[in-house]
Amino acid sequence: MKITILIIITSCCVFPFVFANLRLGFYGVSCPKAEAIVRDVVQRHFNKDRSITAALLRMHFHDCFVRGCDASLLIDPTGNRSSEKDAVPNRTVRGYDVIDDAKSILERACPETVSCADIISLATRDAVALAGGPSYNVPTGRRDGLVSNPKEVRLPSPTLSVSEAMQSFAAKGFSLIEMVTLVGGGHSVGVAHCSMFRERLSSFRGGSVDPTMDPDLDARLVQLCGSSNRPATNDPTVFLDLNTPFAFDNRFCNQILERRGILHFDQQLAMDESSRDMVSRFATDGDILFQNFANAMIKLSAVNVWLDNEGEIRRNCRAFN
């Protein structure tokens, strides 16, 4: 009953927060085909590479959790100016080609009208739906930011405890259930590099298996990542969802309940007394995960947005006007 109440509160309270600032159908007059254009571009990329869902989810999160959803992550560094792309957590972010393709078409159809920040939010929504996840409406009207500073990139580390990570999410206005939702859904299609979790492996712990990790999983990951004496080259990746890595579903939640979480933080969500009941509920009822994920994503896409005459509408998402 406790979890059900939390979920109902989350669903009811997200929308006033969002719709007070952004609007559904913002481009209905100025660029009527904007959302269809983005959807078509995402479909083409998804048809070639289903991992694009994970890439766009990560891009969206990394953008919104720094200065807000202002597309500051998209800015390329130049010879005399660094950007958020230079920050260590962002060096493996990908999916920029999807945004570039959509922006190019939109600039021909409706010059200087659709923001790069809106393209990220719309593209992520469409990629989630294509992967079998929830379909949801994204209010639009964001403007693009004017600053991209790598020193401002402070994202929650995968080595944090639940309480430590919650501090970062709470600072952005998110509740515990929303944090669990975003991770439980987002990591159902994600990947992680060995460098992000190898300290959990017996080959990096003097032969001792992490008690929070299934021994069979440890053995599998040791083969991939190597050991402290001979780590694998090129920092290989592994799917966070070992069963259905390209499908947005609740299998990831079931997996971490079985001590088969790849990242320390993911596994802690299934073990910490503050969050494990929420993970269990999502594991048994995918519909609740879908509903809450849609609401949490709408809320995420509204974090510290630029509106009206603030910022700009970039002509090229990789450079300030």
Side-chain angles (χ1 to χ4, degrees):
M1 179 62 71
K2 178 181 178 183
I3 301 303
T4 303
I5 293 172
L6 281 169
I7 289 169
I8 291 173
I9 291 175
T10 300
S11 301
C12 292
C13 294
V14 167
F15 293 103
F17 170 84
V18 173
F19 284 104
N21 299 306
L22 301 171
R23 189 170 80 243
L24 288 174
F26 180 84
Y27 298 109
V29 174
S30 61
C31 193
K33 295 183 179 179
E35 296 197 25
I37 288 171
V38 174
R39 187 178 300 111
D40 288 345
V41 169
V42 174
Q43 178 76 70
R44 288 201 302 273
H45 281 267
F46 182 84
N47 290 345
K48 293 184 292 184
D49 176 13
R50 291 196 295 163
S51 72
I52 199 62
T53 301
L56 290 172
L57 278 166
R58 187 169 183 233
M59 175 193 291
H60 192 26
F61 180 80
H62 281 221
D63 182 52
C64 294
F65 242 65
V66 178
R67 297 185 60 85
C69 303
D70 65 349
S72 54
L73 174 58
L74 303 183
I75 296 296
D76 281 341
T78 63
N80 57 6
R81 186 193 65 222
S82 57
S83 78
E84 289 179 25
K85 286 182 178 178
D86 291 314
V88 173
N90 291 334
R91 292 177 186 172
T92 53
V93 171
R94 61 188 184 87
Y96 299 115
D97 53 336
V98 179
I99 309 303
D100 291 340
D101 288 353
K103 183 61 171 175
S104 177
I105 298 172
L106 286 165
E107 282 300 299
R108 292 196 296 271
C110 318
E112 299 180 52
T113 301
V114 181
S115 70
C116 301
D118 275 342
I119 295 173
I120 295 175
S121 293
L122 291 169
T124 303
R125 174 200 64 182
D126 295 336
V128 167
L130 287 170
S135 298
Y136 54 93
N137 292 318
V138 174
T140 44
R142 298 163 191 78
R143 304 270 293 182
D144 298 323
L146 302 174
V147 175
S148 182
N149 184 351
K151 295 181 180 179
E152 295 183 345
V153 177
R154 301 181 187 89
L155 296 165
S157 166
T159 63
L160 295 180
S161 67
V162 173
S163 60
E164 289 169 336
M166 189 59 228
Q167 293 177 28
S168 295
F169 279 83
K172 300 296 181 182
F174 290 92
S175 66
L176 177 62
I177 184 68
E178 288 166 338
M179 179 181 77
V180 175
T181 299
L182 289 170
V183 176
H187 286 189
S188 72
V189 291
V191 300
H193 289 266
C194 286
S195 58
M196 301 172 70
F197 60 84
R198 62 188 176 197
E199 300 306 319
R200 298 187 67 206
L201 305 182
S202 58
S203 55
F204 289 83
R205 291 165 48 92
S208 172
V209 177
D210 184 337
T212 68
M213 180 179 284
D214 174 72
D216 290 339
L217 177 61
D218 174 82
R220 174 178 171 180
L221 295 176
V222 165
Q223 287 187 330
L224 175 72
C225 300
S227 66
S228 56
N229 294 326
R230 186 177 292 180
T233 57
N234 301 322
D235 200 11
T237 60
V238 62
F239 292 115
L240 295 176
D241 184 332
L242 299 167
N243 298 303
T244 55
F246 297 114
F248 188 103
D249 55 27
N250 66 339
R251 295 290 295 276
F252 169 81
C253 294
N254 285 275
Q255 177 182 301
I256 59 177
L257 289 171
E258 298 167 353
R259 293 188 300 139
R260 295 178 63 80
I262 305 297
L263 300 176
H264 169 80
F265 174 63
D266 290 352
Q267 190 56 59
Q268 290 304 303
L269 284 177
M271 303 183 74
D272 191 283
E273 62 180 12
S274 69
S275 54
R276 63 190 177 198
D277 287 346
M278 300 174 190
V279 173
S280 295
R281 184 61 187 275
F282 290 152
T284 57
D285 193 334
D287 289 341
I288 291 180
L289 172 63
F290 276 37
Q291 177 186 344
N292 278 263
F293 187 80
N295 289 340
M297 286 297 291
I298 294 170
K299 183 172 180 177
L300 174 65
S301 72
V303 171
N304 295 338
V305 294
W306 294 59
L307 301 165
D308 302 323
N309 294 319
E310 300 173 327
E312 64 183 10
I313 302 296
R314 286 184 215 144
R315 292 183 290 273
N316 176 353
C317 290
R318 293 175 179 262
F320 301 120
N321 292 342

